[in-house]
Amino acid sequence: MSLPGFIARRRSIRAFRADRIDRQLLDDLVEAACLAPAPHHSRPWRFVVVDTDDAKRALAAGMGAKWRADLAGDRVDPARINELVDASHVKLTSAPALVVGCLTWDGLDRYPDEARQRAEWGMALLSLGAAVENFMLAAADAGLASCWVAAPIFCPEEARDALALPDEWLPHALVLVGYPDPAYVARERPAVPLDELRATR
Ligand SMILES: Cc1cc2nc3c(=O)[nH]c(=O)nc-3n(C[C@H](O)[C@H](O)[C@H](O)COP(=O)(O)O)c2cc1C
């Protein structure tokens, strides 16, 4: 299959068979992630493979507590808060593996001013996105399903502490991984409206 065809075949799959994923295979996927381009030849990412029940529960609880507080601050109805946070807990704890992508300042430049410091962090974040896409494409190539979950970017410290990670590892991305539930049907993907999304000069 051509590479563009393969890229088009990767879909976000949110339902998995219960089978565990071999740790070596997960390591191979993380290695593919770490071949992503990054600023200054750095590797400002750290990946955490979370495939034990205790760690999944701790992560889901840590992030869930922060989300619950945020939703309460938004004055969301308490019953709705329970529904949302409970569904998220089930989603995270029922996936065979979670792979958490963290950012660090390792290898990044430091600037005295806030604007360039923010741009530097932004570059690292872009490269984490490239690494996560590598991970998901490599997962698809291995017959695995995956889905990116945004949650840690809203609560990096809580996610870090829930997993007892070093202070400087800040979770910013999470990927659910597993063998696909054959009954799951991916949402219809609209055609790319190229004329709206691309300009030429
Ligand atoms: C940064 C980012 C955050 C995302 N967060 C979530 C999420 O929290 N929950 C979820 O179900 N999907 C999440 N997704 C997956 C998107 O919904 C999905 O990529 C999009 O609908 C396109 O579908 P496709 O990946 O099958 O092409 C996220 C994707 C990205 C890139």
Side-chain angles (χ1 to χ4, degrees):
M1 186 185 292
S2 68
L3 186 57
F6 183 73
I7 289 171
R9 279 254 313 266
R10 182 214 56 80
R11 296 305 315 273
S12 295
I13 307 287
R14 300 170 175 82
F16 309 97
R17 298 190 340 230
D19 312 49
R20 281 182 65 80
I21 309 171
D22 181 63
R23 282 244 171 121
Q24 181 58 55
L25 175 52
L26 289 166
D27 280 352
D28 293 347
L29 304 181
V30 171
E31 212 168 316
C34 294
L35 298 178
H40 330 300
H41 306 279
S42 65
R43 285 183 173 143
W45 338 287
R46 301 292 181 267
F47 290 93
V48 188
V49 171
V50 179
D51 64 355
T52 63
D53 289 342
D54 282 353
K56 285 184 220 170
R57 275 197 292 266
L59 179 60
M63 295 197 302
K66 172 70 165 94
W67 195 22
R68 191 176 284 286
D70 285 345
L71 290 169
D74 296 339
R75 302 192 182 290
V76 175
D77 175 64
R80 180 67 183 144
I81 294 178
N82 283 338
E83 200 175 65
L84 288 168
V85 176
D86 290 353
S88 165
H89 192 94
V90 169
K91 182 161 77 173
L92 296 176
T93 54
S94 59
L98 316 175
V99 174
V100 178
C102 308
L103 277 185
T104 74
W105 277 97
D106 186 24
L108 300 179
D109 287 345
R110 297 282 191 165
Y111 291 96
D113 58 287
E114 176 66 29
R116 281 183 296 171
Q117 192 81 343
R118 203 171 34 244
E120 184 73 11
W121 191 249
M123 282 202 295
L125 197 49
L126 290 172
S127 75
L128 178 64
V132 172
E133 174 72 348
N134 272 7
F135 179 93
M136 294 194 301
L137 288 172
D141 185 51
L144 290 167
S146 66
C147 183
W148 188 324
V149 170
I153 204 167
F154 294 103
C155 54
E157 284 89 6
E158 287 79 1
R160 174 196 64 197
D161 295 346
L163 294 173
L165 301 175
D167 280 356
E168 61 279 13
W169 292 27
L170 289 169
H172 277 69
L174 188 160
V175 184
L176 311 176
V177 202
Y179 289 96
D181 175 346
Y184 184 83
V185 180
R187 288 184 200 198
E188 198 178 327
R189 178 192 263 158
V192 175
L194 199 58
D195 287 339
E196 292 169 29
L197 303 183
R198 179 269 290 117
T200 57
R201 295 290 185 271

